[in-house]
Each structure stands twice: as structure tokens, then as C-alpha cells.
Amino acid sequence: MYLKDFNYLRPKSLTEACNMLQQHNDCALMAGGTDLLVEMKSGLRYHENIISLAGIKELSEIEESNDYITIGAATTHNVIVNSSLLKQHYPALPEASSNVGTAQVRNIATIGGNICTAASCCDTAPVLLASDCTLELVDINGSREVSVNDFFIFHRKTTMKKGEILTKIKVPKLKPGTGISIQKFGLRNAVTISVASAVALITINNGICVDAKIVIGAVAPTPFVSEAASKILIGEKVQYLINNYEVVDKAGDLAVADSNPLSDIRGSADYRKRLVKVLVKRSIKNAAIRATN
Ligand SMILES: Cc1cc2nc3c(=O)[nH]c(=O)nc-3n(C[C@H](O)[C@H](O)[C@H](O)COP(=O)(O)OP(=O)(O)OC[C@H]3O[C@@H](n4cnc5c(N)ncnc54)[C@H](O)[C@@H]3O)c2cc1C
């Protein structure tokens, strides 16, 4: 199917983009276009005006401050993959971005587009949920910050309001003694959408797990933190987590109980639940090993 004609608007600043969003009724923002244009081409949506974010420099910068790495929303996955700041302070994000599509897709697709599409199977949301990061949203009236935990409300639905632009993702640097592991299962080794995924973040102190976050993707309308699976790990000896003691099995079961997967072309709900247990257990073990190194 061919794309219908649309007006292509190229603001040079955030203020100009906000004004355009206000002026045009039927419009959409476009970063890389790898979700938007596919949806428009397949007739799922149409907009008379497309506002490109590509010319707004501040949206593609990665900056370091004392406790955070701040990523512009229009930063491409390949820039994230190669960012030495992120590799040093939150390596799970470059790893998650490296799992997105092909090199060609990663060259143009952005982290902001990934989370604003808010597909339950998207690759970067689970590691962002594990990080407790903050998102900055801007509109003509100013800016506001929202925790990533309050951003996703359903498959392809977020708390972003009409007229808002996601500008920054503020990721806390990993604390010392913290390990994080991503487990993505797709139907092939590359260019694959998650059938299920799990992220574990484990912080240890004196050989004891003092903080844990288990996030699961593609098995509910949004990726989510399994509070029950996370809590049960706190206070456990790291060696128990590495050596797969009963508590790890229990965390897997709790994560399964929290999940609510669909059956679709990639796998049945039952298959996805089985995957959740395996992926959660693997992620806990790997994160615990990393936390000790
Ligand atoms: C071949 C192929 C393979 C893919 N594989 C994967 C994969 O393995 N894993 C995965 O997670 N995804 C995958 N995707 C989906 C897609 O590439 C990603 O979701 C990508 O990160 C989207 O970014 P984008 O910049 O292209 O978004 P766009 O298409 O430009 O935008 C997506 C949506 O977000 C909105 N938007 C974009 N930026 C902003 C902003 N700053 N503020 C507010 N709204 C905004 C747009 O209006 C649009 O609704 C794949 C896509 C293709 C075509």
C-alpha cells in the first residue's frame, strides 16, 4: 500500500515544534518513523501533518550529571548502543537497544519512539522500568516530569497528553554492587520481537541482596514490575540467587502469577507463562553474578 500525501513539517526548535502541535489539529510527531510510517502505510492511522523531530539538536544529546545520564528522546538506538557514558553507568540500555530490529532500523529508530509507541513487547521499556528513570514532557505551557512507572497505561497507551513531546529520559546511574540482566526470547536470534522478556536488577551489600527489581515484558498489556517477585529476593544471600536456590524458583512462580499474556501468532499464553519462569530465573542468576563482580 502507498502512503497518502501529507504535509511534512520540520521545526528547528522545541518551541517551534510545540507551536506546530498546537496549530495543527490532525498531526503526529515523527522521530525515526519506523513505527509511525509502517502504521500509516498499512492504513492503521493517517495524519495530514507530520512534525519531524530530526532537526531539533537538543533531543539527540546524551549528557552526564552527578547521579544521572540524561538521554534526548530522539537519540537513535545505535547511538545508545555505542554510548560510552551509558555503557559505563547503565549498560543494560545499550544492550536493550542492540536488540531492536536490524542495524538499519537502529540507525534511524529512537528510544523516544520506542517508548511512546508503548508496545507491550518493546525492548527498552523493561530496562527503563528497572532503572526507575524519569521522563520529561514538554508542551507550549512548559514541562513536567513523570516517573516511567506512571507512563505506560495499556498496550500502545501512555499518560502523555495531546500536545506534549517527550524530550528527555533521565536514567539514574547504577549504584555500586548492582547487576542487571536482560533476557529476551524471540522466535529467532536476530530481528525478532519479544515473545516474552525479563529484566532483573539486583543490588548487594555484604553478600546480601538489599534491592531487587524484576520486570517482565510482552506478557501483559504493558511491561511491568513484578512487585512480589522483586520483594521476595530482598534479604537473601547472593549465593542463593546465583546457585538457583528455592527462592529463585519462587520468584519465577510469583512473576508468572503476575503475568497476563495473550495467545497470538508468536506463542500461546501458556507457552509465554512457561517462558516467564525460565527468563526470570536466568535474569536473577545473571544479575546476581554481575552484582558480585
Ligand atoms: C523491521 C523493524 C523491526 C523492528 N524491531 C523491533 C524490535 O526488535 N524491538 C522493538 O522494541 N521495536 C522494534 N521495531 C519498532 C520500532 O523500530 C521501534 O519502536 C523504534 O524505537 C521506534 O522509534 P522511531 O523513532 O522510529 O519512532 P516513530 O515511528 O518516529 O514514532 C513512534 C510513535 O512515537 C511518537 N513519538 C516519537 N517520538 C516522540 C517524542 N519524542 N515525543 C512524543 N511522541 C513521540 C510518534 O508520534 C509515533 O506515534 C521494529 C520496527 C521495524 C520496522
Side-chain angles (χ1 to χ4, degrees), residues 139-215:
D139 67 9
I140 50 157
N141 299 313
S143 68
R144 68 180 175 114
E145 287 196 342
V146 55
S147 160
V148 70
N149 297 300
D150 300 325
F151 189 67
F152 302 106
I153 45 179
F154 202 71
H155 180 59
R156 295 181 179 270
K157 278 202 175 22
T158 71
T159 49
M160 220 168 23
K161 295 178 193 149
K162 192 170 166 13
E164 282 187 324
I165 302 177
L166 172 66
T167 49
K168 289 177 185 161
I169 300 150
K170 206 168 135 192
V171 182
K173 293 179 181 174
L174 274 191
K175 290 187 212 133
T178 301
I180 182 162
S181 167
I182 305 172
Q183 301 291 325
K184 169 178 177 174
F185 182 85
L187 296 182
R188 54 191 180 204
N189 289 334
V191 203
T192 190
I193 299 294
S194 290
V195 178
S197 68
V199 172
L201 179 143
I202 305 280
T203 304
I204 56 165
N205 190 3
N206 288 328
I208 302 292
C209 172
V210 291
D211 195 11
K213 190 75 80 71
I214 304 297
V215 189

Side-chain angles (χ1 to χ4, degrees), residues 52-67:
S52 168
L53 298 175
I56 307 174
K57 194 170 165 286
E58 66 188 273
L59 289 184
S60 51
E61 286 169 346
I62 301 181
E63 286 167 345
E64 180 179 16
S65 56
N66 280 350
D67 299 327

